[in-house]
Amino acid sequence: MPRVLTIEDDAVTAREIVAELQSRGNQVDWVDNGREGLARAVGGDYDAITLDRMLPELDGLALVTSLRKAGVQTPVLMISALSDVDERVRGLRAGGDDYLTKPFAPDEMVARIEVLLRRQQATARSTVLSVGDLVLDLIERSARRAGKELELLPIEFRLLEFLVRNSGQVLTRTMIFEAVWGYHFDPGTNVIDVHIGRLRKKVDPPGVPPLIATVRGSGYMLVEAQ
């Protein structure tokens, strides 16, 4: 079942999008602001995204630009009340794959998403991720470093996958928590530090160059061993 993320701050429009997509057999998640939308889009492994152009906290252009810089290639349908040609060009140049103007017919919206989903399937993403000698198989849900299999718990695999997908980028605790655990970060919890510590013991054992780096005051990042 295709997974679609709808990022839309207008509840009426969002309910219309969600209902129509669900009626066509899609699993749909909805968030109503750009900041949370970016966190979910980066870590949620979605098949397509509907993205409102004007959003609170982080607007649609900035969001899709950040996605592409992070290496996330999930197809994006930008939806906007701004209908001029220049605005459409800006949306597509920022990294959007298609542009739909409000008000729109629900069946047209679904048709555009289905085109993006077919295109995504035709150019299926690699099922193997790697950084240096660390290799993740997304089908087998297995991880190896220097040819040695790592015994990871499901949450550790999801955490490592998120780090690998965003290697070289500083990931804040908020980003990690919302992407991997799927809900808002509680600044009072040390759950991320505990899980990173356990993951380090498996990924970076004594005698091998470390991959998981702590960025003091910011969070963590995965760096290719030198």
Side-chain angles (χ1 to χ4, degrees):
M1 177 184 295
R3 298 184 66 227
V4 180
L5 175 64
T6 290
I7 310 173
E8 169 63 64
D9 64 322
D10 181 75
V12 174
T13 302
R15 283 195 291 268
E16 184 178 72
I17 293 172
V18 171
E20 196 68 25
L21 289 172
Q22 287 179 336
S23 73
R24 304 296 183 94
N26 300 286
Q27 178 185 332
V28 187
D29 294 331
W30 168 43
V31 295
D32 62 3
N33 68 83
R35 182 190 62 80
E36 185 179 358
L38 178 60
R40 295 288 291 274
V42 167
D45 197 24
Y46 289 97
D47 299 296
I49 297 169
T50 72
L51 174 62
D52 185 26
R53 168 65 176 85
M54 306 297 288
L55 290 166
E57 300 190 32
L58 184 69
D59 72 65
L61 287 182
L63 193 157
V64 75
T65 299
S66 297
L67 273 185
R68 298 313 185 219
K69 286 183 178 178
V72 178
Q73 298 304 318
T74 308
V76 173
L77 171 62
M78 298 195 73
I79 300 176
S80 177
L82 304 174
S83 59
D84 61 278
V85 174
D86 288 343
E87 181 61 31
R88 177 185 176 88
V89 170
R90 280 193 290 271
L92 296 177
R93 282 182 176 173
D97 296 272
D98 197 0
Y99 193 96
L100 182 63
T101 302
K102 295 179 180 179
F104 55 86
D107 57 348
E108 180 181 359
M109 180 273 300
V110 171
R112 289 173 181 252
I113 284 293
E114 289 176 345
V115 167
L116 295 181
L117 288 171
R118 286 195 296 271
R119 188 186 305 168
Q120 179 78 339
Q121 291 166 359
T123 59
R125 294 171 296 176
S126 173
T127 60
V128 175
L129 303 175
S130 64
V131 174
D133 59 359
L134 175 66
V135 180
L136 271 63
D137 188 313
L138 304 182
I139 300 298
E140 295 181 356
R141 307 301 286 176
S142 63
R144 293 177 174 82
R145 180 152 193 211
K148 181 180 179 181
E149 185 159 358
L150 307 178
E151 296 184 3
L152 302 179
L153 298 174
I155 189 66
E156 293 171 341
F157 187 89
R158 293 199 299 273
L159 177 56
L160 184 58
E161 180 184 349
F162 183 63
L163 293 172
V164 170
R165 285 188 182 278
N166 299 280
S167 62
Q169 177 183 348
V170 177
L171 301 172
T172 66
R173 288 172 174 80
T174 297
M175 291 172 66
I176 295 171
F177 201 81
E178 293 183 353
V180 178
W181 276 264
Y183 48 92
H184 291 297
F185 177 61
D186 175 4
T189 181
N190 68 342
V191 65
I192 293 173
D193 304 293
V194 169
H195 279 83
I196 287 286
R198 292 172 179 169
L199 190 60
R200 269 194 171 122
K201 291 179 180 179
K202 299 178 180 182
V203 175
D204 296 335
V208 300
L211 295 177
I212 301 174
T214 299
V215 181
R216 190 175 300 277
S218 297
Y220 298 96
M221 68 185 298
L222 194 77
V223 294
E224 188 166 351
Q226 301 298 316

